[in-house]
Amino acid sequence: MATNFGRPKAVAADYAWIGTDEDGGLFSAYCLTLVRGITPQEFMDRLGARIMFEALELADEFIDLSFQYWDEPHYGDVQFIGATTVAGDGGDWTLALEVNGHLGVTPSTMGPVSAGTRLVSHRYNGGNGVGDFCWIEDGDVRLEFEPLFARNRAGGTPDALLEDMRQIGFDLEEDREEIGPTTTAAFALAERLTGVRVTEALLDDAVYLCGTAAVR
């Protein structure tokens, strides 16, 4: 993949700031999606979302609403998501964020959202130890895997990013003594595919177009 904005290629260590499960922070349960060349409104339209807030900060209300949709009557079938504009390779991208969600890594939901463009998403839920990474091009799932088990990959081009994955620090060996980086490595691989450097300040300073969408 090409170097982004003159920076060295991203590696897992660039995202050490996200913390660990023990920290109990935002990234102990999250889903982050990046889509090239569409606006947050277009993203929400493609998702079939019901808009609730035109400009909501990533604060208590955002987080509380995200968890509420796991209670009755929805039980996670409808989820809360926010979208904002960020700079990446080739121009503007939409960054969509879910707290404790998984819309972004559900190919049946995100395939239509990726029409005519690139979509990259990843998530982790420390409560059950499950993570996912997904790269879709115009409805075609190119790569899908669980960062904890990066040696097991699916998709139309499962080996297309192997060299990038090795450079980032993913553990691709079947017989391994230690677990390599997982969530931080997913952030780095997403950056290599999008040119979007996610930072704490970028997320905290943004305002999000927010709404709810059904998991297809």
Side-chain angles (χ1 to χ4, degrees), residues 17-183:
W17 62 269
I18 69 174
T20 64
D21 281 359
E22 289 73 22
D23 297 330
L26 176 66
F27 295 105
S28 62
Y30 80 95
C31 184
L32 190 147
T33 304
L34 294 160
V35 192
R36 181 177 58 202
I38 66 172
T39 67
Q41 184 64 61
E42 289 172 322
F43 173 84
M44 290 296 201
D45 290 344
R46 292 185 179 196
L47 195 57
R50 180 176 70 89
I51 302 302
M52 296 175 64
F53 301 96
E54 294 292 335
L56 186 67
E57 295 181 346
L58 182 58
D60 289 346
E61 187 170 18
F62 190 116
I63 295 169
D64 291 345
L65 282 168
S66 300
F67 280 97
Q68 285 177 23
Y69 280 88
W70 285 94
D71 296 328
E72 62 178 332
H74 301 293
Y75 296 108
D77 290 336
V78 173
Q79 298 188 359
F80 186 79
I81 187 168
T84 191
T85 300
V86 295
D89 283 350
D92 286 342
W93 292 62
T94 283
L95 181 153
L97 183 64
E98 302 166 69
V99 176
N100 199 41
H102 60 85
L103 284 167
V105 294
T106 305
S108 57
T109 298
M110 286 298 159
V113 177
S114 72
T117 191
R118 171 173 291 185
L119 184 150
V120 179
S121 57
H122 51 97
R123 74 134 177 171
Y124 179 69
N125 188 315
N128 54 30
V130 173
D132 296 283
F133 186 96
C134 191
W135 164 29
I136 307 177
E137 295 277 345
D138 191 18
D140 178 25
V141 179
R142 298 289 182 87
L143 175 65
E144 188 175 16
F145 68 96
E146 185 174 351
L148 182 60
F149 303 105
R151 66 184 182 277
N152 300 324
R153 298 173 303 280
T157 56
D159 296 335
L161 302 178
L162 275 182
E163 185 55 35
D164 288 284
M165 293 174 73
R166 290 191 182 97
Q167 292 172 6
I168 286 168
F170 280 103
D171 192 330
L172 301 172
E173 302 301 322
E174 184 171 354
D175 298 321
R176 58 185 183 179
E177 296 182 358
E178 297 182 1
I179 297 174
T182 54
T183 302

Side-chain angles (χ1 to χ4, degrees), residues 17 26-27 32 58 95 198-206 208:
W17 62 269
L26 176 66
F27 295 105
L32 190 147
L58 182 58
L95 181 153
V198 178
T199 65
E200 191 169 14
L202 182 150
L203 298 175
D204 289 345
D205 293 345
Y208 298 83

